[in-house]
Amino acid sequence: MADAGFLTRRWNNRLTVLLGLPTFAWAAVSLATSALPDLTAFLGMVGFAFAY
């Protein structure tokens, strides 16, 4: 059986932040600047969605 210490609200919040920050940063940079071509930005978001 799984350890109940890992199934807590604290761990859920940590994992959400850990996984959400890189995705948010990618989206913010992609939308705010023209540093990346549109296709690259889109494929990056697809990659994040696929990974998470």
Side-chain angles (χ1 to χ4, degrees), residues 12-32:
N12 185 33
N13 291 338
R14 288 180 182 178
L15 288 173
T16 300
V17 170
L18 180 69
L19 297 175
L21 283 178
T23 305
F24 179 75
W26 180 269
V29 169
S30 297
L31 293 173

Side-chain angles (χ1 to χ4, degrees), residues 5-51:
F6 288 106
L7 304 174
T8 62
R9 210 176 284 157
R10 178 186 292 171
W11 274 102
N12 185 33
N13 291 338
R14 288 180 182 178
L15 288 173
T16 300
V17 170
L18 180 69
L19 297 175
L21 283 178
T23 305
F24 179 75
W26 180 269
V29 169
S30 297
L31 293 173
T33 67
S34 59
L36 300 171
D38 290 338
L39 181 61
T40 304
F42 175 73
L43 292 177
M45 287 305 298
V46 169
F48 276 115
F50 181 74

